[in-house]
Amino acid sequence: MAKKSAENGIYSVSGDEKKGPLIAPGPDGAPAKGDGPAGLGAPGGRLAVPPRETWTRQMDFIMSCVGFAVGLGNVWRFPYLCYKNGGGVFLIPYVLIALVGGIPIFFLEISLGQFMKAGSINVWNICPLFKGPRKYPEEESVIGQGCLPRRRGGLCPKRPQVTRKPPATEDWRPLGAQVEAWPSLHHHGGSGTQEEGTGLGYASMVIVFYCNTYYIMVLAWGFYYLVKSFTTTLPWATCGHTWNTPDCVEIFRHEDCANASLANLTCDQLADRRSPVIEFWENKVLRLSGGLEVPGALNWEVTLCLLACWVLVYFCVWKGVKSTGKIVYFTATFPYVVLVVLLVRGVLLPGALDGIIYYLKPDWSKLGSPQVWIDAGTQIFFSYAIGLGALTALGSYNRFNNNCYKDAIILALINSGTSFFAGFVVFSILGFMATEQGVHISKVAESGPGLAFIAYPRAVTLMPVAPLWAALFFFMLLLLGLDSQFVGVEGFITGLLDLLPASYYFRFQREISVALCCALCFVIDLSMVTDGGMYVFQLFDYYSASGTTLLWQAFWECVVVAWVYGADRFMDDVACMIGYRPCPWMKWCWSFFTPLVCMGIFIFNVVYYKPLVYNNTYVYPWWGEAVGWGFALSSMLCVPLHLLGCLLRAKGTMAERWQHLTQPVWGLHHLEYRAQDSDVRGLTTLTPVSESSKVVVVESVM
């Protein structure tokens, strides 16, 4: 049990005893009455809470981040934006915004998760005013005494205040059996109960839940196309099927209309005809209805594909990072193999060089267009998966002294490098497609689902052994989306379980929680596999996790860490973990550049907001847009409303309220590191503990 150090009156705990929540001893040194042998502080010997998992190898973390951040947007959105916004010139704003906004926030989220050892909600214990919903009863957190937290079932014995003044600068390392108070702990007094509502952490949970709900539909469609690829003739290559209309025409070359080789059709008549690829997508896969107000019936084939995807996600996530870290070795690396194979095949096709030239050809006049910079910024935030809380969850499973700074730089380079490389693959095939059809490449260049389910399926029909290339492409699409999906679910589950008090821990808690989450998302997804499902999907995509919401989230993350908690202070914390201070550029970005970039792009998006339109023809009804804005505001309003509510409910002057609500609440893992080496002077700024200080320590629930 805990042992008292005669030197300074601080209690220490052995390594074996740290596997469950730490409990204060009784007067005779034995567990307090009512505490079971599991050490949970509950009567009856309740199950001990297992220690928080860590990655088996650090490469597991790297591969998981690659799998999550490198997704469909790198393959189907970046190449199109690069072509649309001046070719190679687009790389200039892209790289600049990556340096100013993308990489600093990417590093911030990973390092914050690693430092706080918590998911997207509890990580904001670093500034409780912006944390998610959680109550810390007086029995669970001790204020005014330098002792460890006490669970229900016993009393926390009086212990001396921590009065030892630590050296001014110290290094940090695990102590093993001894645990001493962390010298840079912040302290506050006040009542024994802290109450937080929906804040920054809860906002990220809302966004990632929306993402998990609608993003998997792309996997379901990709899985459906993959199954349909195992035929001798691709079903979207020809007309004559039950889903085709009389307007379906199998024509690819533009000059065919000039020589009247197809039933004497003129060019104007051919313009009104439809490709079998489009009809397969709209009439067979989507079974597109007349609008959002006409939901129609379920598409049972796609529903089964959706169910299969959710079952796959469940078994990838249910056992935690120990299993997830292994699966991503395949799901994150195999798409690169397929990309290389498709690139080799693409560059050997006629017209491939023309496509690559269109992809990279610089148009310097585009640099003066604000839209180019907006597209670059939005793409950075999308592809880096910023603001979703999943990166924070992944970082929370790192060892405390892992070099997250180096990891963040490597992962950012991999992410952007993949986007650039994928452009060669996509445009080599689009160049071939344009040559075969005898049209300009602008006529075939698309992004998003249009590239994945219309442009590329049309291209493979022109290749020899078309089913093979179709199966390879959709298998790659499935893997790219799958690891992003199950890491997103992992991030949501991590935040959810962090909210549950340790006293409520039960066997198979994680497995049941993941099952309930997947089942709930599947039920919501049923609205997207109806005849009007595509309209619902676009509502989620356009509003719930749009660039606007992610920019808003990233802005507040920078403000909280840099201006409320303190940029210098967090740089000190990072130095405690990795052994040196990161480049000052990171601090400058968190404090000034990144919030300005985020708010600038956010304001531009709001000022130039355009109502949602599907396929340039269907305009959403007013109530549809209202639902969409409800999705967006459900996360965006979390921070300001919670901030205002907490300040109004608190007692004292405004300055006292602010000071009380912004004091960090530390986890027990912070107590396992202390100063030892005086040679690291200047790396950190540690705050001495005064006699009047009041320590707040909160038990980790994982």
Side-chain angles (χ1 to χ4, degrees):
M1 290 300 296
K3 301 176 183 179
K4 185 175 179 180
S5 169
E7 177 185 357
N8 51 32
I10 299 174
Y11 284 78
S12 60
V13 182
S14 69
D16 292 338
E17 292 161 354
K18 286 185 287 182
K19 291 185 178 180
L22 301 178
I23 321 175
D28 58 352
K33 184 178 180 180
D35 293 335
L40 190 63
R46 191 175 296 172
L47 289 172
V49 179
R52 191 176 188 86
E53 291 181 293
T54 56
W55 302 104
T56 305
R57 290 177 294 272
Q58 195 55 32
M59 186 55 69
D60 296 356
F61 166 70
I62 297 291
M63 298 308 297
S64 295
C65 285
V66 169
F68 179 64
V70 178
L72 298 174
N74 300 75
V75 174
W76 74 15
R77 194 165 186 267
F78 175 84
Y80 174 77
L81 290 179
C82 197
Y83 155 75
K84 171 190 170 187
N85 293 306
V89 171
F90 181 70
L91 297 178
I92 296 176
Y94 180 84
V95 171
L96 286 177
I97 295 180
L99 293 174
V100 171
I103 296 177
I105 302 184
F106 193 84
F107 170 54
L108 174 65
E109 293 195 355
I110 291 176
S111 58
L112 195 58
Q114 179 174 312
F115 180 66
M116 296 300 293
K117 288 288 181 184
S120 57
I121 291 184
N122 275 2
V123 75
W124 295 107
N125 276 331
I126 200 170
C127 182
L129 180 59
F130 295 89
K131 179 180 171 284
R134 177 76 189 271
K135 290 185 179 180
Y136 297 104
E138 192 165 1
E139 301 94 321
E140 296 183 3
S141 61
V142 181
I143 300 177
Q145 298 182 19
C147 61
L148 296 176
R150 178 70 186 92
R151 282 286 176 193
R152 296 178 179 87
L155 298 176
C156 181
K158 275 194 173 183
R159 302 180 183 177
Q161 290 269 358
V162 180
T163 59
R164 181 180 65 89
K165 184 173 180 178
T169 56
E170 300 174 329
D171 194 11
W172 296 63
R173 66 176 180 85
L175 294 182
Q178 189 176 11
V179 179
E180 293 196 12
W182 186 22
S184 64
L185 281 175
H186 275 248
H187 323 284
H188 65 81
S191 67
T193 301
Q194 293 183 30
E195 183 176 343
E196 283 88 31
T198 54
L200 189 56
Y202 198 53
S204 66
M205 288 282 284
V206 173
I207 296 174
V208 79
F209 177 77
Y210 287 147
C211 279
N212 293 339
T213 301
Y214 84 87
Y215 187 84
I216 201 169
M217 283 306 306
V218 181
L219 307 187
W221 295 328
F223 188 74
Y224 184 78
Y225 270 82
L226 177 63
V227 172
K228 294 295 184 179
S229 298
F230 293 103
T231 57
T232 54
T233 303
L234 295 175
W236 58 82
T238 59
C239 299
H241 302 281
T242 55
W243 59 83
N244 292 126
T245 66
D247 292 331
C248 179
V249 174
E250 301 170 26
I251 179 173
F252 294 99
R253 297 195 63 84
H254 182 72
E255 58 266 25
D256 287 341
C257 71
N259 57 29
S261 61
L262 278 172
N264 296 322
L265 293 175
T266 65
C267 294
D268 292 336
Q269 290 173 318
L270 279 177
D272 297 328
R273 297 305 173 103
R274 291 166 57 85
S275 163
V277 178
I278 295 177
E279 292 207 336
F280 179 81
W281 168 241
E282 293 186 352
N283 299 345
K284 177 64 175 175
V285 181
L286 300 181
R287 298 199 319 200
L288 207 58
S289 70
L292 186 64
E293 62 277 7
V294 188
L298 288 175
N299 186 334
W300 288 106
E301 290 182 331
V302 179
T303 302
L304 291 176
C305 292
L306 175 66
L307 179 62
C309 289
W310 271 120
V311 170
L312 196 57
V313 168
Y314 175 78
F315 286 108
C316 288
V317 176
W318 71 321
K319 289 298 183 183
V321 296
K322 297 295 184 184
S323 61
T324 303
K326 305 299 181 294
I327 297 169
V328 291
Y329 276 90
F330 175 72
T331 59
T333 57
F334 190 76
Y336 287 95
V337 176
V338 178
L339 281 174
V340 171
V341 172
L342 291 176
L343 177 63
V344 172
R345 176 56 183 158
V347 296
L348 297 177
L349 294 171
L353 182 60
D354 294 334
I356 294 174
I357 290 174
Y358 279 117
Y359 171 50
L360 297 176
K361 185 178 179 181
D363 182 0
W364 297 100
S365 63
K366 294 283 188 178
L367 276 180
S369 171
Q371 188 61 46
V372 173
W373 296 83
I374 300 303
D375 285 345
T378 305
Q379 174 62 18
I380 285 290
F381 282 83
F382 268 123
S383 64
Y384 279 35
I386 289 168
L388 301 177
L391 294 175
T392 304
L394 295 178
S396 72
Y397 297 117
N398 281 335
R399 292 174 290 106
F400 186 79
N401 58 355
N402 172 64
N403 193 339
C404 52
Y405 181 55
K406 179 185 71 176
D407 290 347
I409 300 298
I410 293 173
L411 288 167
L413 292 175
I414 292 174
N415 193 312
S416 296
T418 302
S419 298
F420 186 63
F421 175 73
F424 290 93
V425 179
V426 170
F427 271 83
S428 64
I429 293 173
L430 292 181
F432 160 73
M433 184 175 167
T435 300
E436 286 295 300
Q437 296 185 15
V439 297
H440 192 269
I441 195 171
S442 61
K443 301 294 184 181
V444 297
E446 296 190 58
S447 69
L451 174 66
F453 302 114
I454 296 177
Y456 196 89
R458 181 185 290 147
V460 296
T461 60
L462 307 178
M463 300 181 187
V465 201
L468 171 64
W469 302 110
L472 269 178
F473 175 78
F474 289 112
F475 187 56
M476 176 194 71
L477 199 72
L478 188 63
L479 292 182
L480 279 173
L482 183 63
D483 46 18
S484 297
Q485 178 70 25
F486 67 65
V487 173
V489 173
E490 173 67 45
F492 181 78
I493 293 297
T494 299
L496 190 66
L497 294 182
D498 279 353
L499 283 176
L500 297 178
S503 57
Y504 290 96
Y505 175 78
F506 57 90
R507 195 178 181 186
F508 304 123
Q509 172 181 275
R510 180 183 179 86
E511 290 84 345
I512 293 175
S513 299
V514 175
L516 291 175
C517 173
C518 293
L520 176 61
C521 291
F522 174 75
V523 171
I524 297 174
D525 286 334
L526 292 179
S527 65
M528 303 183 204
V529 292
T530 61
D531 296 349
M534 187 59 175
Y535 304 110
V536 179
F537 173 84
Q538 276 219 319
L539 269 183
F540 273 86
D541 185 47
Y542 196 75
Y543 291 101
S544 66
S546 63
T548 302
T549 56
L550 298 182
L551 289 163
W552 180 257
Q553 183 79 0
F555 170 79
W556 281 106
E557 288 181 5
C558 290
V559 169
V560 171
V561 172
W563 293 102
V564 181
Y565 180 74
D568 283 313
R569 189 171 160 197
F570 189 68
M571 290 285 279
D572 292 341
D573 297 335
V574 173
C576 290
M577 293 191 292
I578 68 177
Y580 62 92
R581 291 176 67 91
C583 174
W585 175 257
M586 293 294 174
K587 179 182 70 175
W588 299 338
C589 287
W590 297 335
S591 303
F592 305 106
F593 303 138
T594 305
L596 289 175
V597 168
C598 292
M599 190 49 59
I601 300 176
F602 174 83
I603 292 174
F604 184 92
N605 284 337
V606 172
V607 171
Y608 292 94
Y609 164 76
K610 296 179 180 178
L612 179 58
V613 177
Y614 176 73
N615 205 21
N616 296 322
T617 54
Y618 175 74
V619 179
Y620 278 70
W622 67 267
W623 57 268
E625 284 201 54
V627 171
W629 277 110
F631 290 151
L633 294 177
S634 62
S635 63
M636 294 173 63
L637 291 180
C638 286
V639 178
L641 290 182
H642 165 63
L643 177 66
L644 183 61
C646 283
L647 289 174
L648 291 177
R649 290 198 307 269
K651 297 179 180 179
T653 66
M654 188 58 66
E656 290 172 341
R657 299 180 191 187
W658 180 265
Q659 183 180 11
H660 173 70
L661 292 170
T662 56
Q663 295 302 319
V665 180
W666 301 116
L668 293 184
H669 70 280
H670 292 114
L671 304 180
E672 300 177 7
Y673 296 85
R674 73 163 183 175
Q676 288 291 324
D677 187 0
S678 61
D679 293 336
V680 295
R681 187 174 303 275
L683 286 182
T684 59
T685 304
L686 301 182
T687 305
V689 181
S690 64
E691 293 185 4
S692 61
S693 298
K694 311 262 187 190
V695 181
V696 179
V697 182
V698 172
E699 186 173 5
S700 172
V701 300
M702 290 294 287

